[in-house]
Amino acid sequence: MRNSLLNLRAVAVSAASVAVTVSAFMALTMIAASYVGCNKAYASGFELWEQDSAGAGDYHAGAAVDTDNTGIEYYNPAGMVFLTYNKPQFSTGVAYIPINTSFNGWISLNGGTHQHTDGWVNSSTENLVPNFHAIYPVSPKWAFGLGVTTPFGLSTDYPELVPVGYAATKTKLITININPSVAYKITHWFGVGFGVDAQYGEADFDSLVPIFNYPSNNHLTGWAWGWNAGAYFKPSVNSALGVSYRSEVTFHAHGKGTTTDIITPHKVSVPIKARLPLPATLTISGEQHFNKLTILTTVERTWWSRFDNLVMTGVPNPMASGSVFNLTAPFGYSDTWNIAVGMHYWLSPRFMLKLGGGYDMTPTNDKYRDIRLPGTNRWAAAIGARALLSRHIIMDMAWIHLIPTKEARINNKGPHGIPFIPPPPTLIIRTNGKARMSGDVIGLQLTALF
């Protein structure tokens, strides 16, 4: 009788967890569609570290090994069978990321007169990055997880002004990743995990038509599939090592390109397509406990060299009614490293202080860097806190300050393929100058234990 009641209780908890998961997914999707995206807000390129707002307080040091957080479901699924709080749990959080971006320089068309911006042109954005994680330990050896996160995002929004609008106006990328996963504990000190990624993407790539100054808007959506796997080692009670790998995903996106036919002039819209490969990542984390103090570290490798060009096919040609062209935006990214070191210190049984910092490499370079994503190497400093509000509710708060090492040098000749009145048959837009960037990450997360 007792076993039957326990089974019924387990089923009820599972059903409740599923209901909460579905509701959270719908809510997060709506939030993300409206607000998500940040211009190189955190990790290299437009990869986002904010898959777990609780981890922001130590700059995500120990991300693949910190079993205090439900975010381990994303960073290393193997850790789900080594949870500090070994019970069903879910968390929901959000990171607020204001990014200040501006450009000062000149733009020329086909090597003609330099058109100066007349000072710094602002493209700052405010961004919300939500996340949701649920973990259900089925037995001492098995656990299941589900996450809804935003692994990649970017957003810049320059005004539709000459000349900066010739290089870029609105640029936005939203990704929403749905990630079910499973973990198995092989021995008391070693476990493995595996997950599947279903990722939705939505992108805008807008500018002004040179000389005629009509908006050219390109909006695309699509799905991509990938996988992730991890291993968790616990050689002693006070130490642990986590390793995880997340595969590349490639979007084959479809959408609509809209511009104004300069002859009529009437707006025209046509179907467009694009292929967008997003990089694989390898994360290695370690931790060591010393009574009330824990030291954590993470090294992450991101294979950005796969992101070489963005090619959009079927873009409407404003110079000739009914014709289309292929637009190629060169990025020429390089692989990057991100290094983080942090600490946790329990000031009391209910209150933990977090500190962290690190160094983040940019995949951009002086040859291809553009004003849509003017990244530079940067340092980061983080502080956070954890409060145990009750036996079942945990609250985490965090703040990260991002410190670029220098201004971003811009000397770009792209995108390629834009039709023009000959000679030459295609337009060369050269952007030259400097970009400034600064930003912060403010995170809040609540975790419920059952």
Side-chain angles (χ1 to χ4, degrees), residues 101 103 121-123 156-160 164 168-170 371-372 374:
T101 310
F103 169 71
V121 180
N122 183 53
S123 176
T156 50
D157 196 0
Y158 290 94
E160 292 185 351
V164 69
T169 52
K170 179 182 179 181
I371 65 173
R372 294 184 187 270

Side-chain angles (χ1 to χ4, degrees), residues 67-70 72 78-90 135-144 183 185 391 394 447-450:
T67 53
D68 284 355
N69 295 332
T70 52
I72 194 72
M80 296 190 298
V81 286
F82 290 91
L83 295 174
T84 302
Y85 308 102
N86 189 28
K87 55 185 68 177
Q89 55 192 269
F90 76 86
I135 300 176
Y136 186 76
V138 179
S139 72
K141 287 185 174 291
W142 287 94
F144 292 97
K185 184 183 288 187
R391 293 175 57 190
I394 300 171
T447 302
L449 309 174
F450 293 94

Side-chain angles (χ1 to χ4, degrees), residues 81-366:
V81 286
F82 290 91
L83 295 174
T84 302
Y85 308 102
N86 189 28
K87 55 185 68 177
Q89 55 192 269
F90 76 86
S91 67
T92 183
V94 65
Y96 167 63
I97 310 175
I99 299 295
N100 301 312
T101 310
S102 56
F103 169 71
N104 185 10
W106 54 262
I107 293 174
S108 68
L109 306 178
N110 284 344
T113 303
H114 296 175
Q115 301 182 55
H116 291 268
T117 59
D118 192 26
W120 292 94
V121 180
N122 183 53
S123 176
S124 299
T125 58
E126 296 184 359
N127 310 274
L128 294 177
V129 179
N131 63 79
F132 172 82
H133 304 278
I135 300 176
Y136 186 76
V138 179
S139 72
K141 287 185 174 291
W142 287 94
F144 292 97
L146 177 66
V148 183
T149 58
T150 304
F152 297 94
L154 69 91
S155 176
T156 50
D157 196 0
Y158 290 94
E160 292 185 351
L161 298 175
V162 174
V164 69
Y166 296 158
T169 52
K170 179 182 179 181
T171 308
K172 184 166 71 172
L173 172 67
I174 295 169
T175 59
I176 300 173
N177 192 62
I178 307 168
N179 184 191
S181 55
V182 61
Y184 178 67
K185 184 183 288 187
I186 298 174
T187 70
H188 70 281
W189 58 270
F190 177 64
V192 294
F194 179 81
V196 176
D197 297 294
Q199 197 167 128
Y200 170 78
E202 185 172 317
D204 292 287
F205 198 88
D206 301 344
S207 61
L208 288 181
V209 175
I211 300 177
F212 301 98
N213 304 333
Y214 292 129
S216 174
N217 302 322
N218 301 286
H219 181 77
L220 299 122
T221 62
W223 284 86
W225 297 87
W227 57 274
N228 62 290
Y232 193 96
F233 306 85
K234 196 167 181 62
S236 71
V237 174
N238 294 319
S239 60
L241 176 70
V243 180
S244 67
Y245 177 83
R246 188 167 291 272
S247 75
E248 174 185 325
V249 299
T250 300
F251 286 92
H252 296 275
H254 298 75
K256 182 171 67 174
T258 303
T259 190
T260 299
D261 186 326
I262 66 172
I263 305 299
T264 24
H266 292 245
K267 280 192 175 181
V268 293
S269 295
V270 299
I272 59 175
K273 296 187 297 183
R275 179 181 177 274
L276 179 63
L278 298 181
T281 57
L282 174 69
T283 305
I284 303 173
S285 299
E287 70 175 8
Q288 180 67 47
H289 297 284
F290 303 94
N291 196 8
K292 296 181 180 181
L293 175 68
T294 302
I295 303 297
L296 308 101
T297 185
T298 287
V299 176
E300 181 178 270
R301 177 71 164 176
T302 304
W303 280 272
W304 274 115
S305 56
R306 293 286 294 144
F307 189 65
D308 190 34
N309 294 300
L310 172 63
V311 180
M312 291 190 294
T313 60
V315 179
N317 181 3
M319 306 292 177
S321 299
S323 67
V324 297
F325 66 97
N326 296 339
L327 180 72
T328 301
F331 285 88
Y333 276 13
S334 302
D335 298 337
T336 62
W337 291 95
N338 182 286
I339 301 171
V341 178
M343 58 160 280
H344 297 171
Y345 185 79
W346 285 99
L347 297 173
S348 73
R350 288 183 172 271
F351 191 81
M352 176 199 289
L353 174 67
K354 299 181 179 182
L355 294 172
Y359 186 73
D360 178 38
M361 294 175 59
T362 178
T364 65
N365 57 71
D366 290 347

